[in-house]
């Protein structure tokens, strides 16, 4: 992970530049929707964070496979570091979705497939974070949590296809469709710029969190060694 | 250009909430990294080294 420190500054600059440009497009240089009016602007923070909440879980699934199949210690670290980021993006997606729902649907919350499965994903993230804090032996925790993460992955296709499987207030897929997006370029452009801004921010924070976790494990090992040394001195 | 007279409380609220959450997440991540770095530096200052480091010396 030595190489990752050289990526931190470029990633920070790219994230900030894309975020500034994305905000300009989202708030000042994109039209209001013909049906939803100005509230469509909430989409530029809601949709990227919702996509990232699922992408972050996909990162944890890949890391968990790396952890179980190859027993690579960095896989555990990457999975652990991603969980708080995924939980935050999921919480943002739920909260901004509620704020978008109130003026467009007339309600902040509806127990439909998309919203309920996304709430379940937030609970999975929180459960995984709690589990990481429960175990003293992080290597053992890594293997157990990797299995739980893989089981929890069943929720990703449920979130994705919930709008097609069940009756819902939530709109169906309108960007990634077989017949192409149903949105004009003037709305797609700010959406993708904001998505890339948040994605680069996720990469940046994930790298920092991975480095912090590696240091935490090193500190823990040194503290154990120090305690052992002190014990030997007293005997 | 955004029309502030239409549901601005929801739009402003969504953006504010997003940036508060992201700001707190970024601050917590960076502070945790700095904290771990400091703890490691403190331990090394006390002369605590990994076995592998001691063997190299």
């Amino acid at each position: 992970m030595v190489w990752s420190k050289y990526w931190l500054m470029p990633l920070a600059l790219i994230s900030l530049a894309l975020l500034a440009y994305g905000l300009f497009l989202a708030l000042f240089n994109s039209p209001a929707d013909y049906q939803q009016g100005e509230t469509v602007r909430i989409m530029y923070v809601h949709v990227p964070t919702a996509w990232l909440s699922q992408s972050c879980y996909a990162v944890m699934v890949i890391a968990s496979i790396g952890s179980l199949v190859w027993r690579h210690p960095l896989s555990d670290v990457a999975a652990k570091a991603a969980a708080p980021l995924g939980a935050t993006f999921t919480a943002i997606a739920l909260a901004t979705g509620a704020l978008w729902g109130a003026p467009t649907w007339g309600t902040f919350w509806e127990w439909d497939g998309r919203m309920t499965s996304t709430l379940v994903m937030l609970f999975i993230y929180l459960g995984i974070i709690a589990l990481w804090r429960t175990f003293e032996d992080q290597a053992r925790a890594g293997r157990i949590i990797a299995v739980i993460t893989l089981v929890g992955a069943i929720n990703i296709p449920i979130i994705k296809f919930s709008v097609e499987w069940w009756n819902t207030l939530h709109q169906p897929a309108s960007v990634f469709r077989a017949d192409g997006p149903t949105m004009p370029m003037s709305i797609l452009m700010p959406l993708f710029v904001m998505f890339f801004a948040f994605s680069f921010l996720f990469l940046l924070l994930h790298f920092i969190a991975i480095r912090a976790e590696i240091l935490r494990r090193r500190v823990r090992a040194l503290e154990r060694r120090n305690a052992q040394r002190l014990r030997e001195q007293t005997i | 250009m955004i029309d502030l007279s239409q549901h601005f409380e929801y739009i402003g609220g969504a953006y504010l909430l997003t940036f508060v959450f992201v700001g707190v997440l970024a601050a917590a991540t960076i502070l945790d990294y700095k904290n771990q770095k400091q703890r490691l530096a403190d331990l090394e200052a006390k002369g605590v080294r990994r076995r592998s480091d001691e063997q190299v010396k």
Side-chain angles (χ1 to χ4, degrees):
Chain A
M1 281 305 284
V2 176
W3 53 269
S4 70
K5 75 174 171 193
Y6 301 108
W7 284 91
L8 298 182
M9 192 49 80
L11 279 173
L13 292 175
I14 293 169
S15 312
L16 285 175
L18 282 173
L19 212 53
Y21 184 50
L23 279 175
F24 165 72
L25 290 178
L27 297 175
F28 303 105
N29 202 31
S30 62
D33 183 68
Y34 77 107
Q35 277 184 322
Q36 300 184 41
E38 295 291 342
T39 58
V40 74
R41 297 184 200 280
I42 298 175
M43 179 181 70
Y44 304 126
V45 285
H46 171 71
V47 173
T49 51
W51 285 346
L52 263 176
S53 69
Q54 294 164 51
S55 308
C56 191
Y57 202 89
V59 168
M60 283 167 52
V61 167
I62 294 165
S64 298
I65 293 170
S67 185
L68 288 173
V69 178
W70 294 287
R71 299 274 168 107
H72 197 293
L74 199 58
S75 299
D76 280 1
V77 171
K80 186 180 177 184
L85 307 181
T88 307
F89 284 120
T90 309
I92 294 172
L94 284 168
T96 53
L99 285 167
W100 196 9
T104 48
W105 301 334
T107 179
F108 283 102
W109 186 262
E110 181 68 35
W111 290 102
D112 75 344
R114 175 60 66 87
M115 284 177 263
T116 308
S117 54
T118 305
L119 183 65
V120 167
M121 190 162 70
L122 177 63
F123 291 148
I124 293 173
Y125 273 127
L126 296 178
I128 287 170
I129 293 167
L131 269 178
W132 275 114
R133 287 167 181 261
T134 307
F135 287 89
E136 179 65 28
D137 180 354
Q138 294 288 287
R140 188 160 167 259
R143 285 192 292 280
I144 294 167
I145 295 168
V147 173
I148 293 168
T149 304
L150 291 181
V151 173
I154 190 72
N155 198 36
I156 298 292
I158 294 175
I159 294 173
K160 167 80 180 139
F161 296 109
S162 57
V163 287
E164 292 166 29
W165 292 341
W166 298 297
N167 283 329
T168 173
L169 281 176
H170 204 282
Q171 66 184 65
S174 46
V175 179
F176 299 110
R177 294 161 54 103
D179 55 348
T182 56
M183 297 176 190
M185 205 50 186
S186 56
I187 286 179
L188 275 178
M189 181 73 173
L191 182 62
F192 276 106
V193 173
M194 288 296 272
F195 171 66
F196 284 115
F198 282 117
S199 298
F200 277 105
L201 187 71
F202 164 71
L203 265 181
L204 170 70
L205 294 178
H206 196 208
F207 277 158
I208 296 172
I210 286 174
R211 292 174 67 83
E213 183 56 28
I214 291 170
L215 290 179
R216 190 180 348 269
R217 290 179 183 207
R218 204 173 286 168
V219 165
R220 209 171 286 167
L222 286 186
E223 280 173 347
R224 268 200 298 269
R225 181 144 170 68
N226 192 32
Q228 191 185 357
R229 204 177 61 167
L230 290 171
R231 211 177 308 130
E232 283 166 4
Q233 280 173 357
T234 50
I235 294 168
Chain B
M1 179 74 179
I2 187 168
D3 175 2
L4 298 179
S5 63
Q6 274 191 46
H7 299 301
F8 180 71
E9 64 278 24
Y10 295 105
I11 303 164
Y15 278 80
L16 182 71
L17 193 139
T18 301
F19 285 96
V20 167
F21 270 53
V22 168
V24 169
L25 176 70
T29 309
I30 293 165
L31 281 177
D32 181 38
Y33 175 62
K34 287 193 168 173
N35 186 27
Q36 298 309 322
K37 221 171 158 181
Q38 186 59 50
R39 285 176 68 192
L40 186 65
D42 289 347
L43 280 166
E44 284 177 348
K46 282 185 197 165
V48 187
R49 295 267 187 281
R50 285 186 295 181
R51 279 206 179 92
S52 54
D53 291 342
E54 286 177 359
Q55 280 162 4
V56 168
K57 284 176 184 175

